Amino acid sequence: MASIPEIFQTMSYGPAPEGVGPANEWLEGHGRNFELFIGGEWIAGKGDSFETLNPATGKPVARLAQATDAEVASAVRAARSAQAAWWSLGGHGRARYLYALAREVQKHSRILAVLETLDNGKPIRESRDIDVPLVARHFYHHAGWAQLMEQELQGRVAVGVIGQIIPWNFPLLMLAWKIAPALAMGNTVVLKPAEFTSLTALRFAELCQEIGLPPGVVNIITGDGRTGAALVSHPDVDKIAFTGSTDVGRIIRAATAGSGKKLSLELGGKSPFIVFSDADLDSVVEGVVDAIWFNQGQVCCAGSRILVHEGVADRLVMKLKQRMETLRIGDPLDKAVDIGAIIAPVQLEKIQELVRRGEDEGATLWQPSWSCPTDGWFFPPTLFTEVSPAANIAQVEIFGPVVVLMTFRTPAESVELANNTRYGLAASVWTENINLALDVAPQLKAGTVWVNCTNVFDAASGFGGYRESGFGREGGREGLREYVKWAWQRGRGAGEPVPNGRAMKHQARKRQTVNRKGSTSVRHEQPRGPSTRERVPAPLPPINRTAKLYIGGKQVRPDSGYSLAVLDDAGRQMGEVGQGNRKDIRNAVEAAHKAAGWARGTAHNRAQVLYYLAENLAARTEEFSGRVAMTTGDAPSAAREVELAIERIYTYAAWADKYDGAVHHTPYRNVTLAMPEPIGVLGVVCSDAWPLLGFVSSILPPIAMGNTVVAVPSARAPLAATDLYQVLDTSDVPGGVVNIVTGDGDELARILAAHDDVDGLWYFGSAETSAEVERLSTGNMKRTWVDLGQGRDWSDARQGAGEEFLEQATQVKNIWIPYGE
Ligand code: NAI
Ligand code: MG
């Protein structure tokens, strides 16, 4: 043992181990063998069992049950039978339980932290100071949302039974992120922790018992991916919430396609960490430590790509290497350890393999001079320089303590590099120039942007991905949406249609279009004068012309050269429309991307354009009423439909500059700006019901929010939509913002769903195609919104318009900006 003078000489750390006594006692008390928590009771698993190991030693900690399909089913049954009473308890009743859970977590915080570190290998400093306090905070915050639900989420109700599947990197924290909002909103849950790290979830189950949570409200079943898959496919689960790899996210998207289950996915990332030349490099170095060596880099939003301005790159690399030399790796229970153990041999091998590949690709590897412990599974902090942006290590999520560094010259180049990935979970931006930071932040494709900070989280702020990092948010008001539905939405695709009068009549009617091979269209040149307010609108085209497609602000012939006849109510041909195909969709998507400037304009400008659109439609009320009447054979309601369409445009013109964000109260010296942003290019496939109103109601919310649209009008009654070209032209809607491709809606929906440059897709049509749309969307994990053939009453202000549409047209980005010196 070193003497005190010697320690003063070397200034080296002595061991400072956290006590494991109470955790071991708890484990021994259970004979290191755990059961399943179902319906408020502990049930011995009937299937296999498996060991959970301590990653720092490689030794077993306890034995867990692998829940079978039957046990999954029994947990779902327990959750189902508890749900109605849990909902009926009301917001205040639920708030009391959530508050009690928060208190309980705090009371038992030390054992939870120790168990977490034993089971996961993360440093005790992190589990004690970050994970567990955030868990308590999440339950407190959501106790508040339970209390406020009836006032703040009017018109919304619980979804029902939620299946929740979480990863091993933040076991108890992910449990809290899943369970707290679900319970607050009146749902009951079946949660499956990751097979490597189930212990804190089991201890949490006991806390539920201790506070007297009604049996069945929380059920915890252990097991690996097979148990997860059984939960995903169980027919009586109303929603799946998943955090984990993008690969499994894809499997779950496909497995739930068409089931009507709500889905939220929080998946992988390869998050950029952008350093501008004026950044405080010493803070940046500490930032990198938090970005990539926090939790051994096993963090979905880890800042794993340092993008640094060329001028300061060498200095940063030097400072980083110095800092890396001083990082302490070792026993995670040691309070002075910075980096703990990697979760499992399989993960360690994956990291080693990716690092090897990085070297093979020609990147330069640097690791500190010290060596790692050899018991357990450790990997040293690793820096790669001379990395090409397309290299495997620059693109693939490593999920380990490995960071790559690349340089840029201009802010524009930094944004381009930052977005050069299929992911979009988080980003951090380092600069002393707030103007630059706030200019760059909105350009980053990421659900969270941290300015001069990184890896900070709070229950009041939403967290979640863009692009292949998934969809849905956890935390904040935006996270609550995942756990509610609208009161008018009954069932979940089980063929429970919404009574919507005339809309249903349209849907029931057999599709009346016929395919006319090779019919040539009449040349009908539009007077295309300048788009000014003075221009006199041309009258609607005469009956029996062929409406072309509308792409990039121009009327174009369909690639196929085919047209479809459009029949009126009496079965007489009233016109023709082009039969769009894959190529037309491709062109329309391209045009929609080119029109992305629409999002960058002001909301005020978008509102003005939309009011003008309404005004121009109003000027043609009679013509449009005539067109709709011809289609539906119902003149009085046709006039009403046009009136409603005009009103609807007003609604979204009004919303354009009012659906704004929030400043979240995160408990740091921070402002957290929650900004709704457009999704990008949205495909919108319209229903047959209400030819004009349905079309207008479907395309207006996306464009009001700054998206650009590839719209497919009803195949049965497309002329009301194609007549709208001229109104769009005369209303200063820029070319490419609305593209209209007519044809077989289901076929075009499938093409849009599989198209990787389409960022989101709304499909209002049959249950079968809804399922296909969800299944085909997995290529780029685009967000989809389908109605499973249920239909909606477009004339109803709740079903046909409002917040639901705005939420579906946007994604929330949270920007964290610290203040103070
Ligand atoms: P994973 O995605 O396989 O596991 C996450 C959870 O899903 C676990 O509870 C697992 O049992 C469950 N699961 C696995 N297959 C399933 C299926 N077919 N259906 C339903 N549930 C299923 O992640 P894994 O294998 O633990 O790690 C592999 C890689 O995934 C990591 O190397 C890392 O790159 C990434 N990952 C990303 C996470 C994130 O938060 N973004 C978290 C964990 C892993
Ligand atoms: Mg373990």
Side-chain angles (χ1 to χ4, degrees), residues 165-169 192-195 223-225 228-229 232 242-245 248 251-252 266-268 300 347 350 397 399:
I165 297 169
I166 57 175
W168 41 259
N169 53 348
K192 190 199 84 64
E195 53 272 37
D224 61 16
V232 166
F242 172 79
T243 299
S245 62
V248 173
I251 293 173
I252 292 177
E266 200 266 274
L267 310 175
C300 48
Q347 187 66 20
K350 183 184 152 198
E397 179 178 52
F399 229 64

PDB file of all heavy atoms in Angstrom, residues 165-169 192-195 223-225 228-229 232 242-245 248 251-252 266-268 300 347 350 397 399, ligand 1:
ATOM      1  N   ILE A 165     -40.269  -3.002 -25.813  1.00  0.00           N
ATOM      2  CA  ILE A 165     -39.044  -3.798 -25.932  1.00  0.00           C
ATOM      3  C   ILE A 165     -37.859  -2.849 -25.872  1.00  0.00           C
ATOM      4  O   ILE A 165     -37.806  -1.875 -26.625  1.00  0.00           O
ATOM      5  CB  ILE A 165     -39.058  -4.575 -27.264  1.00  0.00           C
ATOM      6  CG1 ILE A 165     -40.240  -5.545 -27.250  1.00  0.00           C
ATOM      7  CG2 ILE A 165     -37.746  -5.321 -27.464  1.00  0.00           C
ATOM      8  CD1 ILE A 165     -40.534  -6.172 -28.584  1.00  0.00           C
ATOM      9  N   ILE A 166     -36.948  -3.122 -24.953  1.00  0.00           N
ATOM     10  CA  ILE A 166     -35.866  -2.162 -24.727  1.00  0.00           C
ATOM     11  C   ILE A 166     -34.489  -2.816 -24.844  1.00  0.00           C
ATOM     12  O   ILE A 166     -34.358  -4.025 -24.725  1.00  0.00           O
ATOM     13  CB  ILE A 166     -36.031  -1.458 -23.351  1.00  0.00           C
ATOM     14  CG1 ILE A 166     -36.076  -2.471 -22.213  1.00  0.00           C
ATOM     15  CG2 ILE A 166     -37.271  -0.588 -23.362  1.00  0.00           C
ATOM     16  CD1 ILE A 166     -36.106  -1.827 -20.833  1.00  0.00           C
ATOM     17  N   PRO A 167     -33.464  -2.010 -25.085  1.00  0.00           N
ATOM     18  CA  PRO A 167     -32.108  -2.529 -25.251  1.00  0.00           C
ATOM     19  C   PRO A 167     -31.344  -2.566 -23.936  1.00  0.00           C
ATOM     20  O   PRO A 167     -31.876  -2.187 -22.888  1.00  0.00           O
ATOM     21  CB  PRO A 167     -31.492  -1.501 -26.195  1.00  0.00           C
ATOM     22  CG  PRO A 167     -32.131  -0.216 -25.785  1.00  0.00           C
ATOM     23  CD  PRO A 167     -33.517  -0.557 -25.323  1.00  0.00           C
ATOM     24  N   TRP A 168     -30.080  -2.936 -24.049  1.00  0.00           N
ATOM     25  CA  TRP A 168     -29.275  -3.166 -22.848  1.00  0.00           C
ATOM     26  C   TRP A 168     -28.414  -1.976 -22.451  1.00  0.00           C
ATOM     27  O   TRP A 168     -27.731  -2.020 -21.446  1.00  0.00           O
ATOM     28  CB  TRP A 168     -28.370  -4.374 -23.067  1.00  0.00           C
ATOM     29  CG  TRP A 168     -27.751  -4.451 -24.441  1.00  0.00           C
ATOM     30  CD1 TRP A 168     -28.170  -5.256 -25.473  1.00  0.00           C
ATOM     31  CD2 TRP A 168     -26.643  -3.703 -24.952  1.00  0.00           C
ATOM     32  NE1 TRP A 168     -27.387  -5.047 -26.592  1.00  0.00           N
ATOM     33  CE2 TRP A 168     -26.440  -4.106 -26.307  1.00  0.00           C
ATOM     34  CE3 TRP A 168     -25.790  -2.739 -24.414  1.00  0.00           C
ATOM     35  CZ2 TRP A 168     -25.437  -3.568 -27.110  1.00  0.00           C
ATOM     36  CZ3 TRP A 168     -24.789  -2.205 -25.222  1.00  0.00           C
ATOM     37  CH2 TRP A 168     -24.620  -2.621 -26.555  1.00  0.00           C
ATOM     38  N   ASN A 169     -28.418  -0.910 -23.262  1.00  0.00           N
ATOM     39  CA  ASN A 169     -27.433   0.138 -22.963  1.00  0.00           C
ATOM     40  C   ASN A 169     -27.848   1.073 -21.823  1.00  0.00           C
ATOM     41  O   ASN A 169     -26.992   1.572 -21.105  1.00  0.00           O
ATOM     42  CB  ASN A 169     -27.038   0.900 -24.226  1.00  0.00           C
ATOM     43  CG  ASN A 169     -28.221   1.431 -24.986  1.00  0.00           C
ATOM     44  OD1 ASN A 169     -29.361   1.056 -24.722  1.00  0.00           O
ATOM     45  ND2 ASN A 169     -27.971   2.313 -25.933  1.00  0.00           N
ATOM     46  N   LYS A 192     -40.486  -5.994 -22.093  1.00  0.00           N
ATOM     47  CA  LYS A 192     -39.417  -6.994 -22.157  1.00  0.00           C
ATOM     48  C   LYS A 192     -38.068  -6.292 -22.126  1.00  0.00           C
ATOM     49  O   LYS A 192     -37.693  -5.605 -23.079  1.00  0.00           O
ATOM     50  CB  LYS A 192     -39.512  -7.825 -23.440  1.00  0.00           C
ATOM     51  CG  LYS A 192     -38.559  -9.016 -23.387  1.00  0.00           C
ATOM     52  CD  LYS A 192     -38.258  -9.605 -24.737  1.00  0.00           C
ATOM     53  CE  LYS A 192     -37.152  -8.900 -25.458  1.00  0.00           C
ATOM     54  NZ  LYS A 192     -35.834  -8.992 -24.800  1.00  0.00           N
ATOM     55  N   PRO A 193     -37.323  -6.465 -21.042  1.00  0.00           N
ATOM     56  CA  PRO A 193     -35.979  -5.888 -21.023  1.00  0.00           C
ATOM     57  C   PRO A 193     -35.052  -6.692 -21.931  1.00  0.00           C
ATOM     58  O   PRO A 193     -35.406  -7.785 -22.394  1.00  0.00           O
ATOM     59  CB  PRO A 193     -35.554  -6.021 -19.560  1.00  0.00           C
ATOM     60  CG  PRO A 193     -36.442  -7.050 -18.952  1.00  0.00           C
ATOM     61  CD  PRO A 193     -37.666  -7.180 -19.809  1.00  0.00           C
ATOM     62  N   ALA A 194     -33.866  -6.155 -22.184  1.00  0.00           N
ATOM     63  CA  ALA A 194     -32.895  -6.879 -23.012  1.00  0.00           C
ATOM     64  C   ALA A 194     -32.345  -8.069 -22.215  1.00  0.00           C
ATOM     65  O   ALA A 194     -32.250  -8.019 -20.997  1.00  0.00           O
ATOM     66  CB  ALA A 194     -31.770  -5.946 -23.418  1.00  0.00           C
ATOM     67  N   GLU A 195     -31.998  -9.105 -22.931  1.00  0.00           N
ATOM     68  CA  GLU A 195     -31.574 -10.334 -22.266  1.00  0.00           C
ATOM     69  C   GLU A 195     -30.285 -10.164 -21.452  1.00  0.00           C
ATOM     70  O   GLU A 195     -30.037 -10.884 -20.499  1.00  0.00           O
ATOM     71  CB  GLU A 195     -31.425 -11.471 -23.284  1.00  0.00           C
ATOM     72  CG  GLU A 195     -30.536 -11.183 -24.483  1.00  0.00           C
ATOM     73  CD  GLU A 195     -31.283 -10.537 -25.652  1.00  0.00           C
ATOM     74  OE1 GLU A 195     -32.175  -9.705 -25.408  1.00  0.00           O
ATOM     75  OE2 GLU A 195     -30.949 -10.862 -26.810  1.00  0.00           O
ATOM     76  N   GLY A 223     -36.433 -12.449 -21.464  1.00  0.00           N
ATOM     77  CA  GLY A 223     -36.210 -13.348 -22.600  1.00  0.00           C
ATOM     78  C   GLY A 223     -35.468 -12.614 -23.694  1.00  0.00           C
ATOM     79  O   GLY A 223     -35.245 -11.402 -23.602  1.00  0.00           O
ATOM     80  N   ASP A 224     -35.103 -13.343 -24.722  1.00  0.00           N
ATOM     81  CA  ASP A 224     -34.348 -12.723 -25.811  1.00  0.00           C
ATOM     82  C   ASP A 224     -35.275 -12.305 -26.955  1.00  0.00           C
ATOM     83  O   ASP A 224     -36.480 -12.125 -26.744  1.00  0.00           O
ATOM     84  CB  ASP A 224     -33.232 -13.672 -26.289  1.00  0.00           C
ATOM     85  CG  ASP A 224     -33.800 -14.981 -26.820  1.00  0.00           C
ATOM     86  OD1 ASP A 224     -35.009 -15.048 -27.102  1.00  0.00           O
ATOM     87  OD2 ASP A 224     -33.009 -15.942 -26.963  1.00  0.00           O
ATOM     88  N   GLY A 225     -34.731 -12.207 -28.135  1.00  0.00           N
ATOM     89  CA  GLY A 225     -35.502 -11.733 -29.282  1.00  0.00           C
ATOM     90  C   GLY A 225     -36.744 -12.574 -29.579  1.00  0.00           C
ATOM     91  O   GLY A 225     -37.721 -12.060 -30.114  1.00  0.00           O
ATOM     92  N   GLY A 228     -39.388 -11.211 -27.562  1.00  0.00           N
ATOM     93  CA  GLY A 228     -39.750  -9.923 -28.163  1.00  0.00           C
ATOM     94  C   GLY A 228     -40.642 -10.116 -29.379  1.00  0.00           C
ATOM     95  O   GLY A 228     -41.663  -9.436 -29.534  1.00  0.00           O
ATOM     96  N   ALA A 229     -40.279 -11.077 -30.211  1.00  0.00           N
ATOM     97  CA  ALA A 229     -41.047 -11.309 -31.436  1.00  0.00           C
ATOM     98  C   ALA A 229     -42.468 -11.774 -31.102  1.00  0.00           C
ATOM     99  O   ALA A 229     -43.440 -11.384 -31.763  1.00  0.00           O
ATOM    100  CB  ALA A 229     -40.330 -12.334 -32.316  1.00  0.00           C
ATOM    101  N   VAL A 232     -44.443  -8.764 -30.148  1.00  0.00           N
ATOM    102  CA  VAL A 232     -44.742  -7.942 -31.335  1.00  0.00           C
ATOM    103  C   VAL A 232     -45.912  -8.519 -32.111  1.00  0.00           C
ATOM    104  O   VAL A 232     -46.778  -7.793 -32.592  1.00  0.00           O
ATOM    105  CB  VAL A 232     -43.489  -7.846 -32.235  1.00  0.00           C
ATOM    106  CG1 VAL A 232     -43.852  -7.312 -33.617  1.00  0.00           C
ATOM    107  CG2 VAL A 232     -42.419  -6.972 -31.585  1.00  0.00           C
ATOM    108  N   PHE A 242     -40.458   0.361 -29.356  1.00  0.00           N
ATOM    109  CA  PHE A 242     -39.192  -0.379 -29.422  1.00  0.00           C
ATOM    110  C   PHE A 242     -38.008   0.567 -29.420  1.00  0.00           C
ATOM    111  O   PHE A 242     -38.029   1.601 -30.094  1.00  0.00           O
ATOM    112  CB  PHE A 242     -39.167  -1.220 -30.710  1.00  0.00           C
ATOM    113  CG  PHE A 242     -37.835  -1.881 -30.986  1.00  0.00           C
ATOM    114  CD1 PHE A 242     -37.464  -3.039 -30.320  1.00  0.00           C
ATOM    115  CD2 PHE A 242     -36.951  -1.333 -31.909  1.00  0.00           C
ATOM    116  CE1 PHE A 242     -36.232  -3.642 -30.569  1.00  0.00           C
ATOM    117  CE2 PHE A 242     -35.721  -1.937 -32.171  1.00  0.00           C
ATOM    118  CZ  PHE A 242     -35.358  -3.091 -31.493  1.00  0.00           C
ATOM    119  N   THR A 243     -36.978   0.213 -28.698  1.00  0.00           N
ATOM    120  CA  THR A 243     -35.675   0.871 -28.825  1.00  0.00           C
ATOM    121  C   THR A 243     -34.642  -0.219 -29.041  1.00  0.00           C
ATOM    122  O   THR A 243     -34.628  -1.219 -28.313  1.00  0.00           O
ATOM    123  CB  THR A 243     -35.322   1.680 -27.568  1.00  0.00           C
ATOM    124  OG1 THR A 243     -36.302   2.694 -27.375  1.00  0.00           O
ATOM    125  CG2 THR A 243     -33.956   2.339 -27.720  1.00  0.00           C
ATOM    126  N   GLY A 244     -33.806  -0.033 -30.045  1.00  0.00           N
ATOM    127  CA  GLY A 244     -32.785  -1.034 -30.330  1.00  0.00           C
ATOM    128  C   GLY A 244     -32.194  -0.809 -31.703  1.00  0.00           C
ATOM    129  O   GLY A 244     -32.193   0.315 -32.216  1.00  0.00           O
ATOM    130  N   SER A 245     -31.746  -1.873 -32.320  1.00  0.00           N
ATOM    131  CA  SER A 245     -31.040  -1.735 -33.593  1.00  0.00           C
ATOM    132  C   SER A 245     -32.000  -1.447 -34.745  1.00  0.00           C
ATOM    133  O   SER A 245     -33.173  -1.826 -34.709  1.00  0.00           O
ATOM    134  CB  SER A 245     -30.252  -3.006 -33.880  1.00  0.00           C
ATOM    135  OG  SER A 245     -31.134  -4.093 -33.993  1.00  0.00           O
ATOM    136  N   VAL A 248     -33.521  -4.736 -36.231  1.00  0.00           N
ATOM    137  CA  VAL A 248     -34.703  -5.299 -35.560  1.00  0.00           C
ATOM    138  C   VAL A 248     -35.900  -4.354 -35.735  1.00  0.00           C
ATOM    139  O   VAL A 248     -37.033  -4.800 -35.914  1.00  0.00           O
ATOM    140  CB  VAL A 248     -34.413  -5.604 -34.070  1.00  0.00           C
ATOM    141  CG1 VAL A 248     -35.688  -6.029 -33.353  1.00  0.00           C
ATOM    142  CG2 VAL A 248     -33.358  -6.698 -33.951  1.00  0.00           C
ATOM    143  N   ILE A 251     -37.519  -5.317 -38.847  1.00  0.00           N
ATOM    144  CA  ILE A 251     -38.288  -6.569 -38.708  1.00  0.00           C
ATOM    145  C   ILE A 251     -39.632  -6.261 -38.045  1.00  0.00           C
ATOM    146  O   ILE A 251     -40.682  -6.766 -38.451  1.00  0.00           O
ATOM    147  CB  ILE A 251     -37.488  -7.583 -37.848  1.00  0.00           C
ATOM    148  CG1 ILE A 251     -36.220  -8.025 -38.591  1.00  0.00           C
ATOM    149  CG2 ILE A 251     -38.354  -8.777 -37.462  1.00  0.00           C
ATOM    150  CD1 ILE A 251     -35.276  -8.889 -37.751  1.00  0.00           C
ATOM    151  N   ILE A 252     -39.602  -5.403 -37.040  1.00  0.00           N
ATOM    152  CA  ILE A 252     -40.838  -5.100 -36.300  1.00  0.00           C
ATOM    153  C   ILE A 252     -41.808  -4.295 -37.174  1.00  0.00           C
ATOM    154  O   ILE A 252     -43.015  -4.524 -37.162  1.00  0.00           O
ATOM    155  CB  ILE A 252     -40.507  -4.354 -34.983  1.00  0.00           C
ATOM    156  CG1 ILE A 252     -39.770  -5.313 -34.039  1.00  0.00           C
ATOM    157  CG2 ILE A 252     -41.763  -3.792 -34.332  1.00  0.00           C
ATOM    158  CD1 ILE A 252     -39.325  -4.700 -32.726  1.00  0.00           C
ATOM    159  N   GLU A 266     -37.199   3.696 -31.854  1.00  0.00           N
ATOM    160  CA  GLU A 266     -36.032   4.526 -31.580  1.00  0.00           C
ATOM    161  C   GLU A 266     -34.833   3.658 -31.904  1.00  0.00           C
ATOM    162  O   GLU A 266     -34.552   2.686 -31.208  1.00  0.00           O
ATOM    163  CB  GLU A 266     -36.058   4.974 -30.118  1.00  0.00           C
ATOM    164  CG  GLU A 266     -35.201   6.187 -29.883  1.00  0.00           C
ATOM    165  CD  GLU A 266     -33.808   5.832 -29.430  1.00  0.00           C
ATOM    166  OE1 GLU A 266     -33.610   5.655 -28.235  1.00  0.00           O
ATOM    167  OE2 GLU A 266     -32.924   5.720 -30.310  1.00  0.00           O
ATOM    168  N   LEU A 267     -34.166   3.985 -33.013  1.00  0.00           N
ATOM    169  CA  LEU A 267     -33.178   3.057 -33.563  1.00  0.00           C
ATOM    170  C   LEU A 267     -31.773   3.636 -33.496  1.00  0.00           C
ATOM    171  O   LEU A 267     -31.481   4.495 -32.693  1.00  0.00           O
ATOM    172  CB  LEU A 267     -33.580   2.695 -34.997  1.00  0.00           C
ATOM    173  CG  LEU A 267     -35.044   2.248 -35.143  1.00  0.00           C
ATOM    174  CD1 LEU A 267     -35.409   2.021 -36.592  1.00  0.00           C
ATOM    175  CD2 LEU A 267     -35.315   0.989 -34.318  1.00  0.00           C
ATOM    176  N   GLY A 268     -30.929   3.150 -34.347  1.00  0.00           N
ATOM    177  CA  GLY A 268     -29.509   3.483 -34.255  1.00  0.00           C
ATOM    178  C   GLY A 268     -29.170   4.874 -34.756  1.00  0.00           C
ATOM    179  O   GLY A 268     -30.037   5.657 -35.142  1.00  0.00           O
ATOM    180  N   CYS A 300     -27.100   5.173 -28.440  1.00  0.00           N
ATOM    181  CA  CYS A 300     -27.674   5.303 -29.775  1.00  0.00           C
ATOM    182  C   CYS A 300     -27.351   6.664 -30.382  1.00  0.00           C
ATOM    183  O   CYS A 300     -27.171   6.787 -31.579  1.00  0.00           O
ATOM    184  CB  CYS A 300     -29.173   5.076 -29.738  1.00  0.00           C
ATOM    185  SG  CYS A 300     -29.983   5.999 -28.446  1.00  0.00           S
ATOM    186  N   GLN A 347     -20.641  -8.186 -28.643  1.00  0.00           N
ATOM    187  CA  GLN A 347     -20.514  -6.761 -28.958  1.00  0.00           C
ATOM    188  C   GLN A 347     -19.037  -6.378 -29.078  1.00  0.00           C
ATOM    189  O   GLN A 347     -18.654  -5.621 -29.977  1.00  0.00           O
ATOM    190  CB  GLN A 347     -21.210  -5.939 -27.862  1.00  0.00           C
ATOM    191  CG  GLN A 347     -21.299  -4.455 -28.151  1.00  0.00           C
ATOM    192  CD  GLN A 347     -22.183  -4.133 -29.345  1.00  0.00           C
ATOM    193  OE1 GLN A 347     -23.020  -4.946 -29.751  1.00  0.00           O
ATOM    194  NE2 GLN A 347     -21.973  -2.979 -29.947  1.00  0.00           N
ATOM    195  N   LYS A 350     -17.801  -7.442 -32.357  1.00  0.00           N
ATOM    196  CA  LYS A 350     -18.309  -6.575 -33.420  1.00  0.00           C
ATOM    197  C   LYS A 350     -17.462  -5.298 -33.498  1.00  0.00           C
ATOM    198  O   LYS A 350     -17.093  -4.848 -34.589  1.00  0.00           O
ATOM    199  CB  LYS A 350     -19.782  -6.236 -33.129  1.00  0.00           C
ATOM    200  CG  LYS A 350     -20.418  -5.399 -34.198  1.00  0.00           C
ATOM    201  CD  LYS A 350     -21.846  -4.989 -33.857  1.00  0.00           C
ATOM    202  CE  LYS A 350     -22.149  -3.674 -34.544  1.00  0.00           C
ATOM    203  NZ  LYS A 350     -23.297  -2.972 -33.990  1.00  0.00           N
ATOM    204  N   GLU A 397     -22.913   2.124 -37.607  1.00  0.00           N
ATOM    205  CA  GLU A 397     -22.966   2.333 -36.162  1.00  0.00           C
ATOM    206  C   GLU A 397     -22.088   1.282 -35.481  1.00  0.00           C
ATOM    207  O   GLU A 397     -22.311   0.091 -35.619  1.00  0.00           O
ATOM    208  CB  GLU A 397     -24.409   2.194 -35.667  1.00  0.00           C
ATOM    209  CG  GLU A 397     -24.531   2.376 -34.174  1.00  0.00           C
ATOM    210  CD  GLU A 397     -25.972   2.299 -33.665  1.00  0.00           C
ATOM    211  OE1 GLU A 397     -26.664   1.315 -33.991  1.00  0.00           O
ATOM    212  OE2 GLU A 397     -26.391   3.215 -32.944  1.00  0.00           O
ATOM    213  N   PHE A 399     -21.258   1.341 -32.044  1.00  0.00           N
ATOM    214  CA  PHE A 399     -21.780   1.067 -30.694  1.00  0.00           C
ATOM    215  C   PHE A 399     -20.659   0.626 -29.768  1.00  0.00           C
ATOM    216  O   PHE A 399     -20.736  -0.378 -29.077  1.00  0.00           O
ATOM    217  CB  PHE A 399     -22.889   0.013 -30.746  1.00  0.00           C
ATOM    218  CG  PHE A 399     -24.117   0.437 -29.986  1.00  0.00           C
ATOM    219  CD1 PHE A 399     -24.847   1.536 -30.386  1.00  0.00           C
ATOM    220  CD2 PHE A 399     -24.557  -0.262 -28.868  1.00  0.00           C
ATOM    221  CE1 PHE A 399     -25.983   1.931 -29.696  1.00  0.00           C
ATOM    222  CE2 PHE A 399     -25.689   0.124 -28.166  1.00  0.00           C
ATOM    223  CZ  PHE A 399     -26.394   1.223 -28.595  1.00  0.00           C
TER     224      PHE A 399
HETATM  225  P1  NAI B   1     -31.316  -5.615 -30.741  1.00  0.00           P
HETATM  226  O1  NAI B   1     -31.992  -4.600 -31.536  1.00  0.00           O
HETATM  227  O2  NAI B   1     -31.239  -6.992 -31.264  1.00  0.00           O
HETATM  228  O3  NAI B   1     -32.012  -5.744 -29.313  1.00  0.00           O
HETATM  229  C1  NAI B   1     -32.850  -4.787 -28.719  1.00  0.00           C
HETATM  230  C2  NAI B   1     -34.027  -5.478 -28.074  1.00  0.00           C
HETATM  231  O4  NAI B   1     -34.833  -6.111 -29.055  1.00  0.00           O
HETATM  232  C3  NAI B   1     -33.660  -6.583 -27.089  1.00  0.00           C
HETATM  233  O5  NAI B   1     -34.566  -6.533 -26.016  1.00  0.00           O
HETATM  234  C4  NAI B   1     -33.872  -7.833 -27.894  1.00  0.00           C
HETATM  235  O6  NAI B   1     -34.148  -8.966 -27.106  1.00  0.00           O
HETATM  236  C5  NAI B   1     -35.055  -7.481 -28.730  1.00  0.00           C
HETATM  237  N1  NAI B   1     -35.199  -8.218 -29.984  1.00  0.00           N
HETATM  238  C6  NAI B   1     -34.234  -8.806 -30.727  1.00  0.00           C
HETATM  239  N2  NAI B   1     -34.774  -9.367 -31.828  1.00  0.00           N
HETATM  240  C7  NAI B   1     -36.097  -9.124 -31.787  1.00  0.00           C
HETATM  241  C8  NAI B   1     -37.189  -9.432 -32.649  1.00  0.00           C
HETATM  242  N3  NAI B   1     -37.021 -10.094 -33.774  1.00  0.00           N
HETATM  243  N4  NAI B   1     -38.404  -9.015 -32.304  1.00  0.00           N
HETATM  244  C9  NAI B   1     -38.593  -8.324 -31.167  1.00  0.00           C
HETATM  245  N5  NAI B   1     -37.607  -8.010 -30.317  1.00  0.00           N
HETATM  246  C10 NAI B   1     -36.369  -8.394 -30.622  1.00  0.00           C
HETATM  247  O7  NAI B   1     -29.897  -5.110 -30.381  1.00  0.00           O
HETATM  248  P2  NAI B   1     -28.667  -6.002 -29.910  1.00  0.00           P
HETATM  249  O8  NAI B   1     -28.604  -7.301 -30.624  1.00  0.00           O
HETATM  250  O9  NAI B   1     -28.726  -6.062 -28.458  1.00  0.00           O
HETATM  251  O10 NAI B   1     -27.462  -5.118 -30.414  1.00  0.00           O
HETATM  252  C11 NAI B   1     -27.056  -5.191 -31.753  1.00  0.00           C
HETATM  253  C12 NAI B   1     -26.683  -3.847 -32.256  1.00  0.00           C
HETATM  254  O11 NAI B   1     -27.799  -2.993 -32.258  1.00  0.00           O
HETATM  255  C13 NAI B   1     -25.663  -3.122 -31.433  1.00  0.00           C
HETATM  256  O12 NAI B   1     -24.374  -3.473 -31.782  1.00  0.00           O
HETATM  257  C14 NAI B   1     -25.957  -1.698 -31.746  1.00  0.00           C
HETATM  258  O13 NAI B   1     -25.304  -1.334 -32.921  1.00  0.00           O
HETATM  259  C15 NAI B   1     -27.430  -1.675 -31.971  1.00  0.00           C
HETATM  260  N6  NAI B   1     -28.195  -1.222 -30.812  1.00  0.00           N
HETATM  261  C16 NAI B   1     -28.723   0.009 -30.833  1.00  0.00           C
HETATM  262  C17 NAI B   1     -29.416   0.479 -29.756  1.00  0.00           C
HETATM  263  C18 NAI B   1     -29.997   1.823 -29.744  1.00  0.00           C
HETATM  264  O14 NAI B   1     -30.395   2.299 -28.691  1.00  0.00           O
HETATM  265  N7  NAI B   1     -30.101   2.484 -30.857  1.00  0.00           N
HETATM  266  C19 NAI B   1     -29.590  -0.310 -28.551  1.00  0.00           C
HETATM  267  C20 NAI B   1     -29.045  -1.629 -28.647  1.00  0.00           C
HETATM  268  C21 NAI B   1     -28.366  -2.035 -29.732  1.00  0.00           C
END
